[in-house]
Amino acid sequence: MDFIEGLPKSQGKDTILVVVDRLSKYAHFLLLSHPFDAKTVAKVYFDQVFKLHGWWYNSNFHTSIGTTPFEVVFGQPPHLHVPYISSDSSVAAVDRSLKAREECISMLKFHLQRAQSRMKSQSDQRITEVQFSIGDLVYVKLQPYRQHSVVYRSCNKLVPRYFGPFEIVAKIGEVAYKLNLPDHAKVHPVFHVSQLKKHYGPTPMVATLPALDGNLQLRAEPVAVLERKMSKKGRGYEVYLLVHWSNGTKEDATWELFDDFVKRFPDFKLNET
């Protein structure tokens, strides 16, 4: 299952839920609209996928009823896949059809296994076993997919990706390590080995972490309020602020609702801007 989001609205829908069968690769494309939750997704799945393909729970034997739920409802055993033996049926057409089905399933399993082995082989070529010792200094990669800098960069490829270094204080399992992070850090101190990089050279004097928001993204701080405006809402008005942020230029300033801005940055002095 996966979601395709950010699409232009069409009849109120802007998201596609993709459900793919692992064996046949048969796919269902189901429409959703924001906001949706787990309950909404489950209902769409049951209404449009479950009703067509059943569910493994209903085909299993239940000791409480002495049979399967499928047989209780439909009065016959479920149609489970049993490997067909050639010439087991005396009807030629049935024999050909079942033999073709077995050949198709065998071919599918062969191609799937070959594709999985090829992808695993290619992935293993890029993987190197890295181990650290307690006391080592390592840099930590906070955001493996998106990186925002507290300083504006015209090219995002040049922004910092690792922070630290920090001391390893414990090994957790086989592939995770606990770091000695600053007291003000808002991230969990245990990291997967793939997010760490060893520090070489003399020990630096200070290791710091940037300020992070609730989504573990680097938090932009307000630099100045460039402009104010009022917007009519119902019978009243709302005040908006044009805020210059620390991760962009004045051209990147955004309009923020006054009440929300004050809640997020209560210490920011508006009268100084």
Side-chain angles (χ1 to χ4, degrees):
M1 298 174 59
D2 201 359
F3 295 90
I4 302 176
E5 300 184 291
L7 301 175
K9 279 189 175 293
S10 176
Q11 299 181 358
K13 309 294 184 179
D14 57 6
T15 302
I16 299 177
L17 169 62
V18 183
V19 182
V20 182
D21 174 42
R22 294 181 62 183
L23 177 63
S24 66
K25 300 303 179 183
Y26 192 91
H28 293 269
F29 302 91
L30 316 176
L31 300 180
L32 295 170
S33 59
H34 276 289
F36 56 85
D37 53 16
K39 182 178 179 180
T40 304
V41 174
K43 186 177 187 306
V44 172
Y45 177 84
F46 270 81
D47 290 345
Q48 302 193 40
V49 179
F50 171 84
K51 72 175 184 180
L52 300 176
H53 303 286
W55 196 265
W56 186 248
Y57 171 88
N58 294 326
S59 301
N60 278 328
F61 182 87
H62 288 238
T63 56
S64 59
I65 59 177
T67 183
T68 65
F70 185 96
E71 190 168 359
V72 172
V73 174
F74 296 102
Q76 62 183 15
H79 301 285
L80 299 179
H81 174 256
V82 178
Y84 177 71
I85 301 176
S86 181
S87 302
D88 193 29
S89 174
S90 59
V91 181
V94 174
D95 182 67
R96 288 195 303 269
S97 177
L98 294 179
K99 284 196 296 185
R101 185 189 67 169
E102 291 299 317
E103 292 173 358
C104 180
I105 293 177
S106 298
M107 181 186 65
L108 285 173
K109 291 182 177 179
F110 168 76
H111 286 296
L112 286 173
Q113 183 61 43
R114 186 176 63 176
Q116 291 172 358
S117 300
R118 182 171 60 250
M119 289 186 289
K120 183 179 185 302
S121 176
Q122 294 174 349
S123 177
D124 290 345
Q125 293 177 1
R126 299 190 296 269
I127 296 177
T128 56
E129 293 188 4
V130 179
Q131 293 186 351
F132 302 105
S133 302
I134 296 177
D136 286 349
L137 293 177
V138 295
Y139 294 93
V140 58
K141 190 177 184 181
L142 293 178
Q143 299 155 296
Y145 303 110
R146 292 187 60 193
Q147 178 65 42
H148 299 283
S149 175
V150 293
V151 179
Y152 176 74
R153 298 287 194 276
S154 59
C155 180
N156 289 329
K157 292 183 179 180
L158 302 180
V159 301
R161 299 177 64 193
Y162 289 85
F163 298 90
F166 305 101
E167 181 184 3
I168 293 179
V169 295
K171 184 176 182 179
I172 311 297
E174 296 295 327
V175 293
Y177 294 88
K178 183 178 181 180
L179 307 185
N180 182 22
L181 299 181
D183 294 336
H184 62 79
K186 296 183 179 180
V187 294
H188 196 276
V190 177
F191 295 88
H192 189 268
V193 66
S194 63
Q195 305 304 307
L196 304 176
K197 182 172 65 174
K198 189 172 183 179
H199 166 76
Y200 296 94
T203 304
M205 297 298 296
V206 180
T208 60
L209 271 178
L212 303 175
D213 59 19
N215 297 321
L216 302 186
Q217 304 289 326
L218 294 181
R219 184 177 64 191
E221 298 290 339
V223 176
V225 174
L226 306 179
E227 188 179 341
R228 294 174 172 82
K229 71 176 182 180
M230 297 182 66
S231 177
K232 185 174 178 60
K233 181 180 181 180
R235 297 183 178 180
Y237 291 88
E238 290 182 332
V239 178
Y240 287 85
L241 305 176
L242 183 60
V243 182
H244 174 203
W245 300 97
S246 59
N247 64 343
T249 64
K250 291 185 177 180
E251 288 73 20
D252 300 317
T254 59
W255 287 101
E256 306 290 335
L257 186 63
F258 176 85
D259 293 339
D260 293 342
F261 181 84
V262 172
K263 291 179 181 178
R264 290 168 56 194
F265 304 98
D267 297 329
F268 186 79
K269 298 181 180 180
L270 295 173
N271 57 352
E272 294 184 358
T273 62

